[in-house]
Amino acid sequence: MIVERIAIEGYRCFVKSATVAGFGAGLNVVSAPNGTGKSTLFEALRRALIDHHSVSGVEAEKMRPWGRSISPSVTVDFAHGALRYRVHKRFLDDPSCELSRWEGDDFVVVDRGERADEKVRSLLSRPTAPKGLSREAHWGLAQVLWAPQGMIELGPLGPELATRVRETLAAQVVGARGAEIERMVEERFRAFFTPQTAKLKAGKKAPELVRRSEALALAKTAVDRARERHERAALTQERVGALRAELVRAERERSERGAQLAEREASLRAFDAKVSARAEAEQRATVAEAGAKSAKVELDAWRNGKAQLQERERRQADAVIALALAKARRDEAAVEVAAASERESRAARAHGALSELERLYRAARERARAEAVLADCDARIAAIDLEILRVEESRAALVPDAPTAADVASMRALEAARSSAKARLDALALTVTFDAKSPVTIEHEGEAKALSAGETLTLRALGALSAALDDRVSLTVRGPLSGPDAREAEESLQASAAALGALSRRFSASSADELDSLRAKAAAASMELRARERGLSTLGGAQARLALIERCREAVSTLELVVTDDRSESALAAELERARIDAEASGSIRTSAEARRDAERALAEREVAVAVAEERVSSCERATGEARAALDELARRGKSEAACQDAFERAALSLDVARVALSKSALELEGRAEIERAVREGVAHCARAEADALALRDAARTEEGRLDELVSGATFTVLARAEEEVTRLESEVARLEVEAEAVKLLREVLVRCRDEAIAKVSGEVERAAGRILGRIATGSSLEVELGETFAPTRAWVGAREGEGVALERLSGGEREQVHFAVRLALAEVLASEERPMVVLDDVLVATDNARLARVIEVLEDAAKRMQVIVLTCHPERYATAREATWISLAR
Amino acid sequence: MGMRAAHAGAAAEQVRAARIDAAERVAAAARARAADFVVLCGDTFEDNQVERALVARVVEIMASCRCPVYVIPGNHDALVPGSVWGDGSFARAPTVRVLRDESPLDAPGGVTLWPCVARARHDERDPTLWVRAPSDGRVHVLLAHGTVESVHYEEPWYPIARDCAERARVDYVALGHFHQHLEYVGGDGVARMAYSGTHEPTRFGERDPGQALLVSIEKAGDRPSIEPMVTGALRWLVVEATLREAGDVARTADAVRAMGEGAQTLMRLKLDGYLRVDEQDALVSLAEMVRERFLFGRVESALRPAPTDSAWTRDLPPGPVLDAAKLLAQWAEPSFDGRPSHVSAEVAARALLELYSMASTGE
Ligand SMILES: [Mn+2]
């Protein structure tokens, strides 16, 4: 589409009519200062070409010049292909649209109203705007080709437009021939399937396959029905067969039951005949029994009499033997009584001896105990006496005025003082030592001392010392005079000697050690006394002694009282043991007395037994006599024994015969009740068998009726025909299914291959945009990635490697250049069919002049394939354009 | 009679009618050869529940033999309540005798018949065990329906021992059940037992069907003469062809044509291999010829375009369409195993042919 002229009236700032004309087919630069309605012109162009003439609403109201009620109108002349058109739209009040075509000398109306709207839109771009123009996404192709003021950025394309772009790309990939085939495939597909869900179509437009499948389903139902009937026929046949077999069995059962019943009734009659026969036999048996009984009585009289006599004789003999036995037992008992008396007296003796010995033994033990007590008391008294004596001795050994430890201490102190004083005096004294080489006598202070050879003598004196040696030598030694020290030592010596003397005298001890020894001795004596006193008190002291003396006295009186013989206690103990054994051996006195009494009682009993036995012997003799008399009486009175025997045997024989006959009939006659029950059961069985057979006959008849009905329906023939129909339809459906599946598969594969090819081609758009960018920014090329909706998403500076840069991270200039390049690249791709029109309204404002110069070159190049309209308020920026048509709105 | 003929498609009724005609030929043969009597050894009818009009028609044909016709029930027409044998038409045909008991009976020509009767669809017992023919100078013939051991048959019921004739001491055992003609030679080298097979072929792939046997025995103990007589009319042909070279379609068409006129022929033509682009029309006319020439004709094609035949791709524009064709050609090859699971080679081949046909018609 190439816009040639735009006329506008009553539209926003254009209250009066205004016309912009002279657009070229290539690059057009429309210049106008700010506020001269450049963008209004652009909007009016858009409304004229895209919008519905009947548009309304707040947004549309803005078309009306401010404060006026006139209706805006726009007229655009444009060329499309070889034809020229004019569209005139009037908005808001009394809206209208009119599309005219240039026919030689004038524009002639081709369409009006909505249809004219539609036609214009289709000339401009295929996907038409469905709603108002407030959203860019509704602009259709204009979204790509028209950049509104300052809005070079290309948002995501609307879904239809994205599809259109993709289709356009695909058309390039596929080519016209391929598209034609694709269209045919799609058409073929839609003959079978719904395009969205890819399901087989239903209803009036359903393919043959669906109709055949439905027919097949129906045919299958018919088969199911026919098969059900056919199977029912088979089942009914089986049932009839079973019922007939059952009926045969039932009939047999019925006749068997009848025969059985007749048999049972016959046996009942036979039974009753036997009952009367038995009564007769019973009668005969009774008579025979009576005869046998009387014969037996006679015979038994004989037999019993004889047996009785024998028995009584035997008893008599027994009684005689019993008497002898009783007597012998009585004699034995008398002997036993004597022996028991003897044992009793022996036991009495043994027990007497034992008691005496026990008494003696107890006395001996008592005496021994008393003697022991006496000895013990004596010993303890002696011990106490000894202790008393010792206490006396200790008490006597006690020293009356014994030195104390203090005394010892003071004496030691005095001795120390004395020796100290003596030492000090010694230190002050003159000392002369004589060492004899040969015997010599030394006289000193009037005292002579003879020394043998080798002896020494040392002399000491204060101040001066004189000695004479064997009267031959007189020696005097003088020293310096001793001062107060000597005096003081002298005094101390004398004082301590005096005190020591006093103490020595008092305790008759010459030294402190001696004094200490005295003190120790006194202390030991005192301790000894205390120990003895403690010992004495342990023994009980004098009181205990008195008690002991008392006990001695008691023991002595005991000894005097106890009587005993000379035997010792142990001897007595041994004898006592022996006597005890004796006593035990002869048993207790009471036991032996009882034994004796028992023996006496036994003797008395046996005496009685003897008497009884004698009595029994005489009674048996009497009975024997009686029995013998009875037999004699029997013989005298009637038949002999042999005759009786003979009569009895005959009677017994006839009784046996009668009894055998009776028992035989008895055996056969048991169980009449059972036979009667069997007959009753037989009757019931017959009735039941009859009923069963009848029921079966009815059931068989019913089933046969059913079978006849099914048979006349020829179920197999019907089934066979139905199955044939199903098979025929199945093969047809299978054939159609293959066809449908094949068409589906063909479309699926084709769509897949096309999508793959398009994916390759949208790479072409990216590359084209990249080439444009390369031309704009020589030196630093940019690569671009397009998203699913063809909006650029990322860019790479230089080669397309790594993550790239998100578009919003680019500088403003670069970003608008990217969008510009993508728009242009898309326009190039879409330009394949009809020369498109690109409108750029004051865009690329952030692009520097150097780059803009290269943008202009790019635009000039693009203008060979499309109309480019640039609206700007800075026409000087496009001064480098060589082949532009310049249009100024200032006028 | 009265069989199901789903495998004959629309010709099912003709197939059934052909069996009636064949039965008439059997009766005609009996008349022409003056047979003493005719025996039918079971499965005269496909099922006891066939339409009664058919039963009446068959009885009429039997009665037209001009000699006694002895019939035993087989497992398909077993003697059960409601069976075909209860149909009133039998009572009206005195020469037709349905044998219902296992008891010998005399037939014309000094023959004693020993009929074995099937009373159920299935039975595991040998039905002939009761027969012990006496040596009384008569010709003894045993009639049975069942499976001779070692015959592999889809209904392996009523087993019959191979030495049945010897054991039963009969001169001949006439068998029914198996569809094909089959004779059993005994230890003495003489065939005394045979299946006649069906009087009319039944389905594709049978061997030696469509015959009746004319059996002649001079006197007791003589070797039976068994003469097969063709009574069947329909031919059931299965032709398989693998196409490899140019002209194979035409050659196949010639071969089919050479099989003669087809009013009595049922044909299944199985095609495999590759179809050449210039033979598509020939294939269409071959299929038409098969359908029209024969009583029943079906072409089962597993043909696919030859991958090496560039003529196919000539009409296809390069790009996605050609890509799709190549992909489908790969999938159409039955031996290819990289096909998606939902696609069969048959469907892929068909899709490919669709694509080619669109490409050629769209020009
Ligand atoms: Mn059979």
Side-chain angles (χ1 to χ4, degrees):
Chain A
M1 173 184 282
I2 295 163
V3 171
E4 294 173 341
R5 174 177 168 274
I6 305 169
I8 186 169
E9 187 177 356
Y11 200 107
R12 291 195 190 244
C13 54
F14 297 93
V15 179
K16 293 185 199 156
S17 90
T19 301
V20 183
F23 288 98
L27 176 61
N28 299 273
V29 179
V30 180
S31 64
N34 284 331
T36 46
K38 172 167 55 70
S39 293
T40 302
L41 190 71
F42 175 59
E43 187 204 307
L45 176 61
R46 214 171 59 214
R47 289 213 184 261
L49 295 182
I50 302 169
D51 216 351
H52 297 267
H53 65 278
S54 54
V55 67
S56 61
V58 180
E59 195 64 31
E61 277 300 328
K62 287 179 185 166
M63 282 190 275
R64 220 191 284 275
W66 191 83
R68 295 172 201 269
S69 57
I70 52 178
S71 300
S73 69
V74 183
T75 306
V76 177
D77 291 0
F78 61 93
H80 188 267
L83 301 171
R84 288 183 62 213
Y85 292 94
R86 168 169 294 168
V87 62
H88 173 78
K89 281 192 187 172
R90 195 178 138 93
F91 298 101
L92 300 175
D93 305 326
D94 192 16
S96 68
C97 175
E98 199 175 83
L99 178 68
S100 318
R101 195 165 53 210
W102 182 258
E103 295 186 351
D105 52 352
D106 199 2
F107 283 103
V108 179
V109 175
V110 267
D111 258 320
R112 285 200 176 84
E114 283 294 335
R115 285 228 306 283
D117 278 348
E118 203 57 42
K119 184 81 196 282
V120 174
R121 270 200 298 271
S122 73
L123 291 175
L124 181 71
S125 70
R126 204 176 292 149
T128 57
K131 291 177 184 93
L133 288 176
S134 50
R135 285 180 56 201
E136 220 180 330
H138 295 159
W139 288 5
L141 196 54
Q143 191 189 343
V144 176
L145 302 182
W146 291 8
Q149 186 171 27
M151 289 169 67
I152 186 73
E153 297 207 354
L154 186 64
L157 303 188
E160 285 181 9
L161 178 60
T163 307
R164 158 100 167 98
V165 170
R166 222 175 274 119
E167 274 175 1
T168 310
L169 293 175
Q172 287 185 352
V173 173
V174 174
R177 177 84 193 106
E180 174 68 6
I181 291 174
E182 271 188 13
R183 190 191 54 69
M184 282 192 284
V185 168
E186 187 64 23
E187 199 175 298
R188 189 100 171 80
F189 176 77
R190 286 178 191 217
F192 285 96
F193 301 98
T194 58
Q196 280 82 25
T197 57
K199 293 230 173 77
L200 280 167
K201 290 202 291 189
K204 270 186 199 161
K205 291 182 177 171
E208 177 74 2
L209 171 59
V210 172
R211 286 200 298 278
R212 297 279 87 187
S213 298
E214 283 163 2
L216 176 59
L218 279 177
K220 276 182 176 164
T221 317
V223 163
D224 287 345
R225 252 197 328 269
R227 184 171 296 127
E228 189 269 327
R229 246 178 105 70
H230 187 57
E231 278 163 8
R232 190 135 48 87
L235 281 176
T236 311
Q237 273 178 343
E238 261 173 44
R239 254 198 317 269
V240 168
L243 279 168
R244 283 180 186 169
E246 192 75 352
L247 184 59
V248 168
R249 193 200 51 70
E251 293 286 4
R252 198 166 51 236
E253 166 95 10
R254 195 178 62 150
S255 69
E256 277 169 12
R257 289 298 187 186
Q260 195 180 40
L261 176 60
E263 214 170 87
R264 286 175 183 181
E265 282 168 345
S267 61
L268 188 61
R269 280 192 299 281
F271 186 93
D272 289 343
K274 279 175 193 161
V275 167
S276 51
R278 184 190 160 148
E280 280 169 32
E282 271 175 350
Q283 182 64 36
R284 275 198 298 275
T286 312
V287 171
E289 205 164 9
K293 227 178 248 167
S294 75
K296 180 108 176 37
V297 166
E298 281 179 29
L299 184 58
D300 282 353
W302 268 104
R303 281 184 183 165
N304 291 348
K306 276 176 131 179
Q308 200 176 37
L309 178 60
Q310 268 172 13
E311 172 66 18
R312 285 183 182 180
E313 279 169 351
R314 197 183 49 72
R315 274 192 206 154
Q316 191 183 341
D318 286 353
V320 170
I321 290 166
L323 177 60
L325 208 61
K327 279 178 180 165
R329 280 184 186 153
R330 183 196 54 195
D331 296 347
E332 276 169 23
V335 170
E336 179 58 25
V337 167
S341 301
E342 170 57 25
R343 276 197 299 277
E344 185 185 10
S345 61
R346 203 164 57 230
R349 277 199 305 280
H351 281 283
L354 177 61
S355 307
E356 178 57 14
L357 269 172
E358 277 174 343
R359 193 192 57 76
L360 281 175
Y361 177 68
R362 269 196 307 274
R365 278 182 64 185
E366 208 167 324
R367 207 176 110 173
R369 205 156 49 233
E371 278 168 356
V373 168
L374 199 55
D376 178 48
C377 288
D378 279 351
R380 283 164 72 182
I381 290 168
I384 290 171
D385 287 350
L386 184 61
E387 278 307 308
I388 291 172
L389 197 64
R390 279 185 186 162
V391 168
E392 290 309 321
E393 277 171 8
S394 300
R395 202 166 276 151
L398 278 181
V399 180
D401 182 23
T404 66
D407 292 336
V408 173
S410 65
M411 192 160 182
R412 278 195 203 290
L414 287 173
E415 274 177 350
R418 188 183 66 180
S419 72
S420 159
K422 210 185 255 176
R424 264 185 289 154
L425 276 179
D426 279 351
L428 292 172
L430 293 171
T431 305
V432 176
T433 302
F434 296 95
D435 192 351
K437 305 294 184 191
S438 60
V440 69
T441 305
I442 297 165
E443 197 189 332
H444 176 58
E445 291 184 348
E447 202 174 317
K449 174 86 175 167
L451 296 180
S452 24
E455 265 186 312
T456 59
L457 175 69
T458 299
L459 298 176
R460 282 189 185 94
L462 285 167
L465 185 150
S466 295
L469 289 72
D470 284 348
D471 294 336
R472 282 176 301 166
V473 179
S474 176
L475 180 66
T476 304
V477 181
R478 290 182 204 283
L481 285 174
S482 53
D485 284 350
R487 274 194 302 281
E488 191 197 354
E490 193 74 31
E491 283 164 14
S492 167
L493 183 61
Q494 280 165 6
S496 54
L500 276 170
L503 275 170
S504 302
R505 277 188 303 277
R506 187 175 153 204
F507 293 111
S508 319
S510 58
S511 70
D513 288 343
E514 202 177 329
L515 189 64
D516 194 34
S517 149
L518 281 175
R519 184 199 57 80
K521 257 182 218 152
S526 160
M527 230 145 80
E528 172 81 4
L529 176 60
R530 275 199 300 283
R532 295 295 178 198
E533 283 170 345
R534 244 182 346 263
L536 184 55
S537 94
T538 306
L539 289 171
Q543 220 166 351
R545 192 172 183 276
L546 285 177
L548 284 168
I549 290 167
E550 182 54 32
R551 280 187 66 190
C552 282
R553 225 171 266 137
E554 279 172 18
V556 169
S557 66
T558 303
L559 282 175
E560 281 166 357
L561 282 171
V562 168
V563 180
T564 181
D565 63 4
D566 312 335
R567 281 174 295 189
S568 71
E569 190 191 332
S570 58
L572 280 168
E575 273 184 48
L576 183 58
E577 190 56 28
R578 263 192 308 278
R580 209 166 266 152
I581 290 165
D582 275 353
E584 264 170 36
S586 47
S588 82
I589 297 169
R590 207 177 66 201
T591 315
S592 50
E594 272 171 17
R596 194 246 316 146
R597 277 196 293 282
D598 286 349
E600 284 170 352
R601 239 184 337 269
L603 179 59
E605 277 167 16
R606 291 185 182 180
E607 295 280 11
V608 171
V610 168
V612 168
E614 281 167 348
E615 171 59 26
R616 180 148 175 75
V617 168
S618 60
S619 114
C620 280
E621 281 166 353
R622 261 195 321 277
T624 307
E626 280 167 14
R628 206 166 278 136
L631 272 184
D632 293 348
E633 176 69 17
L634 201 62
R636 202 173 50 244
R637 255 202 338 230
K639 283 188 276 184
S640 71
E641 190 189 354
C644 283
Q645 178 74 34
D646 194 38
F648 173 70
E649 276 167 11
R650 273 198 315 276
L653 199 65
S654 61
L655 179 59
D656 277 350
V657 170
R659 277 204 180 130
V660 166
L662 187 62
S663 74
K664 227 187 248 165
S665 70
L667 275 175
E668 285 165 3
L669 288 177
E670 270 168 13
R672 185 181 197 275
E674 214 164 291
I675 297 172
E676 277 180 341
R677 200 174 60 243
V679 169
R680 276 197 304 279
E681 272 175 15
V683 171
H685 283 157
C686 273
R688 199 151 55 235
E690 185 98 23
D692 284 355
L694 208 64
L696 278 168
R697 212 166 1 226
D698 284 351
R701 231 171 258 144
T702 312
E703 279 303 307
E704 280 164 358
R706 271 187 210 134
L707 184 58
D708 282 349
E709 188 254 317
L710 286 162
V711 163
S712 66
T715 57
F716 178 78
T717 303
V718 172
L719 174 62
R721 291 205 172 112
E723 281 178 346
E724 283 161 9
E725 175 72 4
V726 163
T727 308
R728 209 156 42 232
L729 285 168
E730 270 174 349
S731 78
E732 224 173 309
V733 165
R735 183 177 60 77
L736 292 167
E737 264 173 357
V738 169
E739 188 185 5
E741 287 296 309
V743 168
K744 195 175 186 178
L745 177 65
L746 176 58
R747 180 192 187 241
E748 183 188 312
V749 171
L750 202 54
V751 166
R752 191 173 121 184
C753 290
R754 194 191 55 184
D755 285 350
E756 280 168 11
I758 289 172
K760 272 188 226 148
V761 171
S762 53
E764 265 315 312
V765 176
E766 286 173 358
R767 277 189 293 283
R771 272 197 302 278
I772 294 169
L773 282 170
R775 285 179 69 184
I776 297 170
T778 46
S780 59
S781 69
L782 278 170
E783 289 267 340
V784 185
E785 182 196 71
L786 300 184
E788 186 62 10
T789 56
F790 294 92
T793 50
R794 279 185 296 174
W796 287 262
V797 178
R800 187 166 172 166
E801 283 164 1
E803 288 282 293
V805 186
L807 213 64
E808 51 276 18
R809 304 275 302 273
L810 293 175
S811 74
E814 278 171 329
R815 198 159 60 233
E816 68 182 16
Q817 285 151 27
V818 167
H819 282 285
F820 168 74
V822 171
R823 277 179 195 268
L824 213 57
L826 279 168
E828 295 267 14
V829 168
L830 300 171
S832 58
E833 283 178 37
E834 166 62 32
R835 201 175 168 86
M837 173 183 63
V838 174
V839 181
L840 302 170
D841 184 2
D842 238 354
V843 294
L844 300 169
V845 289
T847 301
D848 61 49
N849 284 336
R851 286 196 181 200
L852 190 66
R854 289 194 288 275
V855 167
I856 292 163
E857 276 174 33
V858 170
L859 283 175
E860 281 182 318
D861 190 28
K864 290 170 188 162
R865 295 176 296 281
M866 57 190 89
Q867 184 184 34
V868 180
I869 301 174
V870 175
L871 295 110
T872 179
C873 49
H874 297 290
E876 69 283 0
R877 297 192 72 195
Y878 294 85
T880 56
R882 284 178 299 248
E883 293 169 25
T885 302
W886 295 86
I887 296 168
S888 174
L889 286 190
R891 283 165 290 164
Chain B
M1 296 298 191
M3 73 170 201
R4 207 193 253 114
H7 51 296
E13 285 302 339
Q14 283 101 310
V15 165
R16 272 191 284 273
R19 299 176 93 75
I20 299 280
D21 297 346
E24 281 177 338
R25 279 192 290 279
V26 173
R31 287 194 300 273
R33 304 294 292 265
D36 288 326
F37 57 89
V38 173
V39 296
L40 301 180
C41 293
D43 287 1
T44 305
F45 296 96
E46 176 72 14
D47 192 282
N48 271 321
Q49 260 44 265
V50 296
E51 50 190 340
R52 291 311 189 207
L54 174 69
V55 178
R57 174 82 188 98
V58 170
V59 172
E60 196 180 296
I61 294 169
M62 288 179 190
S64 72
C65 287
R66 291 201 202 128
C67 65
V69 176
Y70 299 101
V71 188
I72 59 168
N75 68 321
H76 277 258
D77 49 11
L79 187 64
V80 293
S83 68
V84 283
W85 312 117
D87 192 78
S89 45
F90 286 103
R92 289 186 292 274
T95 55
V96 178
R97 289 201 50 194
V98 180
L99 308 182
R100 299 163 194 265
D101 302 300
E102 275 86 359
S103 61
L105 80 157
D106 290 347
V111 174
T112 302
L113 296 179
W114 299 79
C116 303
V117 182
R119 291 189 172 79
R121 180 79 170 199
H122 314 153
D123 204 317
E124 309 286 328
R125 290 167 299 180
D126 185 337
T128 67
L129 292 180
W130 65 281
V131 181
R132 243 347 148 269
S135 301
D136 54 1
R138 290 180 70 82
V139 173
H140 293 279
V141 174
L142 192 158
L143 313 181
H145 186 88
T147 313
V148 174
E149 53 186 23
S150 87
V151 163
H152 295 286
Y153 188 49
E154 63 209 34
E155 298 182 345
W157 303 306
Y158 292 100
I160 294 171
R162 271 192 90 118
D163 62 352
C164 175
E166 285 89 336
R167 201 214 52 235
R169 296 178 198 144
V170 294
D171 293 287
Y172 185 74
V173 179
L175 292 175
H177 189 50
F178 195 44
H179 284 199
Q180 301 171 15
H181 169 215
L182 202 54
E183 292 177 17
Y184 292 90
V185 177
D188 55 357
V190 179
R192 288 199 176 83
M193 178 157 86
Y195 283 109
S196 64
T198 50
H199 66 306
E200 172 65 44
T202 309
R203 61 181 79 140
F204 290 106
E206 285 179 332
R207 198 159 44 81
D208 263 358
Q211 304 179 72
L213 300 183
L214 180 68
V215 181
S216 316
I217 303 170
E218 282 304 315
K219 60 177 194 301
D222 274 9
R223 175 194 200 97
S225 133
I226 302 173
E227 183 190 334
M229 303 172 72
V230 174
T231 53
L234 299 184
R235 288 191 303 162
W236 298 73
L237 298 178
V238 179
V239 177
E240 297 184 18
T242 301
L243 308 188
R244 290 197 184 82
E245 294 167 20
D248 274 356
V249 176
R251 275 189 280 278
T252 306
D254 289 345
V256 168
R257 220 170 278 120
M259 286 169 185
E261 276 310 309
Q264 302 287 339
T265 303
L266 295 98
M267 164 75 77
R268 250 170 94 189
L269 178 59
K270 295 181 175 179
L271 294 178
D272 194 6
Y274 298 111
L275 181 63
R276 300 177 62 82
V277 67
D278 51 359
E279 291 185 332
Q280 289 182 91
D281 293 343
L283 179 64
V284 171
S285 24
L286 170 61
E288 260 168 38
M289 192 255 283
V290 168
R291 268 197 299 278
E292 284 164 11
R293 191 178 176 84
F294 301 110
L295 171 61
F296 167 82
R298 191 162 78 205
V299 177
E300 295 163 18
S301 168
L303 292 174
R304 53 213 180 273
T308 52
D309 186 356
S310 60
W312 284 110
T313 54
R314 196 185 52 212
D315 295 329
L316 297 179
V321 175
L322 190 57
D323 294 346
K326 283 177 184 163
L327 198 58
L328 287 172
Q330 207 176 20
W331 291 354
E333 202 54 48
S335 59
F336 179 68
D337 53 5
R339 242 187 327 267
S341 60
H342 70 284
V343 179
S344 69
E346 186 194 7
V347 168
R350 181 64 193 261
L352 188 54
L353 286 170
E354 285 274 347
L355 178 59
Y356 288 140
S357 85
M358 284 180 205
S360 56
T361 58
E363 275 174 309

